[in-house]
Amino acid sequence: MSLRLLFARAAFTCALVASVSAFALPALADQKPFPDGAPPAGKSSGDKDKKDAKSATPESGFGEWSKVTKDATRKDGMFPAWTKREVIYWEIKQDRLGKPFLMNAHFARGIGTAYTLGGLPILDGMVQFERNGDRIFLVAPTTSIVASSGDSAYRRAVDLSFGSSALQVFKIESEKDSTVLIDMAPMFASDCLDLTTRLKGSTDKGFRFDKERSAVTAHKAFPRNMEVEALLTFSPNDRENLDFGPLPDSRYVPITVHYSFLELPESPMAPRLADDRAGYFTNAYKDMSRDGKPDYWVRYINRWRLEKKDPTAAVSEPKQPIVFYLDNTIPAEWKPYVKAGIEEWQKSFEKAGFKNAIIAKDVPTDDPDWDAEDARYTTIRWIVSHEPSFGAIGPSQTDPRTGEILNADILMEGNMIVGYSNNWRRWAAPDVIDQAMNLPTQAWLKDVTDPSRLCMAGIGHATESEFLSTALALNGVTPPGEPAPKEFVGAGLKAVTMHEVGHTLGLRHNFKSSTDVPRELLQDKAWVAQNGLVGSIMDYDTPNVSSDPTRQGYYWSPTVGTYDDWVIRYGYTPTSATTVEDDYKLVTPIAREATADGHLYGTDEDTYPADALDPRCNIYDLGSSPLAFSKDRVAYVQNLWNTPNLEGKLMKEGDSYVALRRAMDSMLLQYARGLSHARKYVGGQYAHKVMKGDPGETGPFTHVSPAEQKEAMDFLAQRAFSADAMVVPATLLDKIGKDQQWDWGNNLFAYGRQDYPFLSRVLAIQVGAMNGITEPSLLTRLREQESRVGAGAFRLQDVFARLTGAICGELGVAGSVPAAGAAKYATLDRPNTRRGLQRAYVDRLSEMVVNPSPAAPEDAPALARLHLTRISDACQRGLGPAGPGSDTVRAHLMELRARARRALEAQRDVPGALRPNPIAGGTAATAR
């Protein structure tokens, strides 16, 4: 698909970031092929013949030029324009027909909610005008499939197989001197972007476009680009339970859209081939004329055009640096941190041979022609939202022919500064644990147009900042009830800026990089100042809070990392090559440094999917051992919530008890994230992005040792599944308050219980960990490992035995590995989550038996059946005369036995044989 509308679903819009480029590479043209086989932009030769034949329409059939343009104001620009009242005529010269240019659209003003926020992108891609008789078509050409060979047979084959999409059709109003006039206003003041569908995706409500309340509000012409704004109004078909917060009247939803049209460079930049060892966004296409090659794919990295002023110098200033303008929407107190975050990248570019390659400037106040909407300027802007959505994003526009980044605009949500005080609302139900942990769900990853471009660095930073504020107060660094000092917030803001700027330089996430930093050096300020807290600022870092206040280093990474220096060298080091292939040969030695210390790389697809296997690929961890970090962070959080006089350290007189709710939520979130890192060790493999012959390479995969897997399981048994895993003083829980202020932004009927649902949240964390351990793809990997590792392997049966022992150890289940100190039945009579966790575990095993996943090995449902049988037998024994005397415990044992038996007696795959189980996130068998 050539032109991409970025509205796959609201979740994608919420998290979109980095380079947004809808076009892999342009279609064929009649002109000479681009050097090195890269296809130039334009139309196919077949289309050209049709264009020439149809451009001879007599001028007399249209309105007289002088009459049509009477009383209109003319503006020179990329397309000379005539404007009067509600009409916007563009002059389209014949030599512009079939010549591609970029078109993108974003929200200029949103509604502060429903992922409709000022600055978020809507559409991005390459288009061109074509003439068909008396009409002009705005066409998105086919760009994903091309034929760059000089052999016209390949081109004809592609031309025969793939067509272009006509996005809009315009009537020719007048024609003179091989130039036509078309009225663009009807397109701008319409729902040509299909925002009704986007609104429905984010609200589950149908909308209709209101043409009478829509109009073009601004039109600007610049030498290389055209900028247009339009106020569009949408009305919901059903307003029941539709909450748009601060919107004045929800009957009329006002959305201002900004369109940009940008010329492609006359002289395309020399492209650089992508290498999967170095993490760049790419423009990719299939060249169907690559016969004899391993495949048809060609991929160019996204990067800015940097050329040395002095090509002979080892380090030279560029002819044209990358300039970021600090928009006047950024509060003055935060500008120094944003500026520092931009220019910190100068360090990396110097290693690629450029001095002052990237600089930050204030918006000029003495230049009347400067305009933030002018696509020639790259900006960082500040926005606010009613409901936080992404924190920060860094979309950019690229030349589809070469991957050259032409423009970028970073958006920062000001809500980051306060740490999203209402983050507790994301914990409204136990089944939202993944969202609370800021992990994309599998549904997201399937539905979004391009999951690799998701970014949650900003919103993650907000929740991490909330934890940092809590830790600082409980450690006595900040006074009770006071916000974190400006320097702490500024340091975090600088780190987020570095991250988003990295995206606009073409870089993808690197979630493995934290393990490049030796654990023992995390608090070494001198070392971290030089190398960073993470190997790449493109990681998601967590506050570096030391359990020993006397050895406290940087809380946030103060600089870009060692991987960043290396990957910028790969992407930006100039070469003397005259072909793409020769250029790649010259930079390949840089790519082969992937095995060097400080160059670890693992990105989104290595981290988020259910089958992600490398325990080093995590978000929100620090140091060379994620398992060691997990142990430290979980133990630290437990110490925090048992801090003497916790209330007095967090609150001053007159503060709302909601402060305790925010603090407890932030601590539980950190606890849950700590557990999530350990899970990947089970059935895990260390993945290496290497090619044969790289220095020291050992192949793509090595297994996590059985000892490490057992260590991780033991840790989870103790810290996730034991009866005393998460115990908080009852006196503290009774003091956790709720926001009692009723207003349009705080519906007190919407959030259920008024007291703090601690046990529900603990159970959600435990069930999330249990579901992760029993993920079908993880079980499949374990089964594979048994055949590869041989004697001593951590086996599939070991996982079931340890899970059953950790969760149901006090039942006396045969063949299980009970956690240390599991007293028979005693834990089941306590007011904790033990009974709920056991029921959830039985439901999970039942699901495996009755509806086994095709992705799981057949041994999994067989082992689940065995353990259900053992649990049922243990419950039967417990119900005998020597069993527990408590009615609660006996009722619980009867329920476990009944659930297990229903599953054991049920037939597989019988419709209606399962009932929903919202706690376990799965199903359990029902009686037939």
Side-chain angles (χ1 to χ4, degrees):
M1 183 174 171
S2 296
L3 191 68
R4 181 173 297 160
L5 290 175
L6 305 177
F7 63 84
R9 58 184 284 160
F12 173 51
T13 307
C14 159
L16 180 72
V17 75
S19 166
V20 184
S21 179
F23 292 86
L25 265 199
L28 301 174
D30 312 309
Q31 56 205 63
K32 193 181 255 185
F34 182 69
D36 311 319
K43 296 174 58 60
S44 68
S45 56
D47 287 339
K48 179 179 186 298
D49 295 338
K50 289 185 287 185
K51 180 193 75 175
D52 291 343
K54 295 180 179 181
S55 62
T57 305
E59 294 181 7
S60 58
F62 311 117
E64 185 178 334
W65 189 282
S66 60
K67 291 183 178 179
V68 172
T69 59
K70 183 180 180 182
D71 299 327
T73 302
R74 189 177 190 277
K75 300 178 181 179
D76 287 323
M78 173 182 167
F79 293 105
W82 300 80
T83 58
K84 62 177 178 181
R85 295 186 294 278
E86 296 185 355
V87 173
I88 301 174
Y89 294 129
W90 279 11
E91 295 184 13
I92 312 297
K93 301 182 187 304
Q94 184 170 325
D95 61 6
R96 293 303 301 260
L97 294 174
K99 184 176 181 180
F101 54 93
L102 295 182
M103 179 177 80
N104 69 72
H106 66 263
F107 293 115
R109 274 173 295 281
I111 55 177
T113 187
Y115 308 115
T116 307
L117 310 175
L120 278 179
I122 305 170
L123 169 148
D124 185 36
M126 193 173 72
V127 295
Q128 58 198 37
F129 286 116
E130 296 179 8
R131 181 167 183 170
N132 287 281
D134 293 347
R135 296 179 298 169
I136 298 295
F137 284 27
L138 182 65
V139 170
T142 302
T143 62
S144 301
I145 308 291
V146 303
S148 65
S149 170
D151 188 339
S152 58
Y154 288 105
R155 295 190 177 197
R156 286 195 296 269
V158 170
D159 223 17
L160 179 66
S161 305
F162 302 97
S164 302
S165 298
L167 307 179
Q168 197 78 12
V169 179
F170 306 91
K171 182 182 72 172
I172 295 176
E173 305 291 341
S174 185
E175 182 174 20
K176 182 178 70 172
D177 299 331
S178 300
T179 300
V180 299
L181 278 184
I182 59 174
D183 184 6
M184 298 289 293
M187 171 181 145
F188 299 137
S190 74
D191 189 26
C192 66
L193 300 175
D194 199 19
L195 295 182
T196 51
T197 299
R198 180 166 180 153
L199 285 168
K200 183 178 181 180
S202 60
T203 64
D204 292 326
K205 297 287 187 180
F207 284 79
R208 61 187 181 276
F209 175 68
D210 190 335
K211 182 178 179 180
E212 295 302 315
R213 290 178 172 84
S214 303
V216 177
T217 55
H219 178 274
K220 299 177 183 179
F222 300 99
R224 289 182 48 239
N225 57 293
M226 307 292 286
E227 308 294 329
V228 181
E229 280 192 7
L231 170 63
L232 309 179
T233 300
F234 298 86
S235 296
N237 297 329
D238 171 20
R239 289 188 293 129
E240 185 177 357
N241 298 322
L242 183 65
D243 181 13
F244 278 149
L247 194 67
D249 191 330
S250 61
R251 293 176 298 171
Y252 310 110
V253 180
I255 297 173
T256 301
V257 171
H258 188 101
Y259 293 87
S260 293
F261 300 83
L262 181 64
E263 275 194 332
L264 293 170
E266 288 291 335
S267 299
M269 179 188 74
R272 177 157 294 171
L273 288 171
D275 189 298
D276 62 8
R277 292 168 289 189
Y280 277 88
F281 292 107
T282 63
N283 288 89
Y285 66 98
K286 274 189 170 182
D287 185 348
M288 307 310 293
S289 62
R290 283 168 56 92
D291 288 353
K293 301 288 186 180
D295 57 45
Y296 292 110
W297 285 100
V298 177
R299 299 177 178 91
Y300 295 141
I301 66 171
N302 293 170
R303 60 176 184 159
W304 292 85
R305 185 188 302 223
L306 285 182
E307 300 171 338
K308 288 184 176 181
K309 284 183 179 178
D310 182 359
T312 64
V315 179
S316 167
E317 290 192 343
K319 293 179 181 178
Q320 176 60 50
I322 304 166
V323 179
F324 276 88
Y325 287 92
L326 307 182
D327 193 71
N328 55 18
T329 54
I330 304 175
E333 64 178 323
W334 303 122
K335 275 190 176 182
Y337 300 102
V338 175
K339 183 176 188 294
I342 296 168
E343 296 186 342
E344 193 68 33
W345 281 99
Q346 291 179 359
K347 164 191 166 188
S348 295
F349 279 101
E350 286 186 9
K351 292 178 171 59
F354 291 96
K355 181 181 180 181
N356 298 325
I358 181 169
I359 57 178
K361 293 183 177 180
D362 287 327
V363 170
T365 57
D366 56 351
D367 184 356
D369 296 325
W370 193 94
D371 194 312
E373 300 297 348
D374 189 336
R376 293 175 296 177
Y377 304 119
T378 290
T379 63
I380 292 188
R381 290 182 289 176
W382 206 260
I383 67 169
V384 295
S385 57
H386 168 51
E387 295 175 349
S389 297
F390 54 80
I393 61 172
S396 61
Q397 290 77 50
T398 61
D399 184 339
R401 302 167 300 178
T402 63
E404 178 182 358
I405 299 173
L406 304 174
N407 176 264
D409 292 286
I410 293 174
L411 301 172
M412 312 282 280
E413 276 192 299
N415 310 53
M416 282 191 302
I417 301 303
V418 298
Y420 298 161
S421 60
N422 288 332
N423 66 46
W424 63 271
R425 292 178 183 171
R426 290 195 292 274
W427 290 65
D431 59 351
V432 296
I433 183 66
D434 279 349
Q435 290 90 324
M437 293 170 64
N438 285 329
L439 296 174
T441 65
Q442 297 305 303
W444 280 30
L445 299 175
K446 290 177 182 177
D447 292 351
V448 299
T449 307
D450 186 354
S452 72
R453 299 179 189 274
L454 291 168
C455 184
M456 293 172 286
I459 199 167
H461 167 78
T463 56
E464 297 297 291
S465 294
E466 186 69 44
F467 172 68
L468 177 58
S469 297
T470 298
L472 290 174
L474 294 180
N475 287 338
V477 177
T478 58
E482 295 298 321
K486 180 179 176 181
E487 57 268 26
F488 291 105
V489 178
L493 182 57
K494 178 187 175 183
V496 172
T497 302
M498 288 189 286
H499 181 99
E500 299 306 334
V501 169
H503 281 313
T504 66
L505 298 177
L507 303 187
R508 293 194 61 187
H509 288 134
N510 183 356
F511 296 137
K512 190 183 289 185
S513 78
S514 54
T515 59
D516 260 327
V517 177
R519 184 164 163 252
E520 64 273 14
L521 293 177
L522 287 172
Q523 307 306 333
D524 187 330
K525 278 198 165 185
W527 191 93
V528 169
Q530 182 65 31
N531 300 281
L533 272 175
V534 283
S536 172
I537 200 66
M538 304 314 296
D539 209 330
Y540 289 172
D541 55 348
T542 187
N544 178 38
V545 183
S546 174
S547 57
D548 179 3
T550 65
R551 293 191 66 250
Q552 177 61 58
Y554 288 100
Y555 291 102
W556 302 105
S557 190
T559 187
V560 295
T562 50
Y563 164 87
D564 301 319
D565 294 342
W566 168 65
V567 78
I568 289 294
R569 280 175 53 220
Y570 177 80
Y572 286 89
T573 298
T575 72
S576 58
T578 57
T579 68
V580 173
E581 289 76 14
D582 286 345
D583 175 77
Y584 182 62
K585 291 177 182 177
L586 291 174
V587 296
T588 293
I590 300 177
R592 295 188 69 212
E593 296 176 22
T595 55
D597 289 343
H599 296 173
L600 285 174
Y601 168 56
T603 190
D604 300 78
E605 59 268 24
D606 303 311
T607 305
Y608 291 141
D611 58 355
L613 51 76
D614 194 329
R616 298 172 299 176
C617 287
N618 297 300
I619 58 176
Y620 309 121
D621 65 334
L622 292 172
S624 48
S625 170
L627 182 54
F629 172 81
S630 295
K631 292 181 177 182
D632 289 346
R633 181 53 60 94
V634 164
Y636 180 66
V637 170
Q638 285 187 319
N639 288 335
L640 282 183
W641 65 42
N642 285 293
T643 300
N645 190 28
L646 182 146
E647 175 189 351
K649 291 184 176 182
L650 285 177
M651 302 170 60
K652 63 180 184 298
E653 187 174 344
D655 283 350
S656 167
Y657 281 98
V658 175
L660 293 183
R661 181 180 290 261
R662 292 196 295 266
M664 181 53 64
D665 276 352
S666 71
M667 290 187 285
L668 278 175
L669 182 58
Q670 290 297 318
Y671 196 105
R673 285 178 176 165
L675 297 177
S676 71
H677 304 325
R679 179 190 64 81
K680 283 187 179 178
Y681 280 84
V682 182
Q685 296 183 57
Y686 297 117
H688 315 288
K689 293 186 184 294
V690 294
M691 295 186 183
K692 186 172 177 58
D694 284 352
E697 64 94 1
T698 57
F701 302 104
T702 53
H703 294 290
V704 174
S705 71
E708 288 179 294
Q709 296 188 53
K710 292 175 184 176
E711 182 184 357
M713 279 297 298
D714 289 343
F715 166 69
L716 290 170
Q718 178 189 7
R719 297 300 198 181
F721 304 133
S722 72
D724 299 323
M726 287 166 268
V727 178
V728 173
T731 53
L732 171 61
L733 296 176
D734 288 339
K735 292 184 178 180
I736 294 178
K738 177 181 177 181
D739 187 352
Q740 297 296 322
Q741 293 286 350
W742 174 275
D743 52 48
W744 57 265
N746 190 38
N747 184 346
L748 297 182
F749 289 100
Y751 305 116
R753 292 169 50 179
Q754 293 193 26
D755 64 329
Y756 190 71
F758 178 73
L759 293 183
S760 296
R761 298 187 180 185
V762 169
L763 183 59
I765 293 171
Q766 293 176 316
V767 170
M770 179 194 69
N771 288 345
I773 292 295
T774 54
E775 177 67 40
S777 55
L778 184 150
L779 300 179
T780 298
R781 287 201 307 273
L782 271 170
R783 181 66 187 88
E784 289 278 355
Q785 283 188 13
E786 291 182 29
S787 64
R788 301 181 192 182
V789 176
F794 191 68
R795 305 176 63 184
L796 194 61
Q797 68 178 37
D798 297 328
V799 168
F800 281 88
R802 287 172 180 268
L803 269 178
T804 300
I807 297 174
C808 301
E810 59 269 63
L811 302 181
V813 180
S816 65
V817 183
K824 193 170 185 178
Y825 304 129
T827 55
L828 296 178
D829 208 19
R830 297 179 191 170
N832 54 27
T833 62
R834 193 67 176 167
R835 297 187 299 275
L837 179 59
Q838 289 181 358
R839 288 190 286 266
Y841 181 55
V842 167
D843 288 344
R844 184 70 166 178
L845 294 175
S846 299
E847 181 182 15
M848 293 184 195
V849 169
V850 181
N851 274 345
S853 168
E858 289 193 357
D859 285 342
L863 284 165
R865 181 179 293 274
L866 173 65
H867 281 261
L868 275 178
T869 301
R870 288 173 172 173
I871 291 171
S872 177
D873 291 346
C875 290
Q876 182 66 43
R877 291 192 299 270
L879 290 170
S886 165
D887 281 354
T888 297
V889 177
R890 293 185 69 85
H892 171 63
L893 295 180
M894 292 178 67
E895 178 65 18
L896 285 185
R897 183 188 61 178
R899 293 190 187 196
R901 285 181 175 178
R902 285 197 296 267
L904 293 171
E905 295 168 1
Q907 295 180 356
R908 284 190 180 183
D909 302 323
V910 177
L914 299 179
R915 61 179 173 77
N917 180 0
I919 295 295
T923 52
T926 58
R928 291 183 52 77

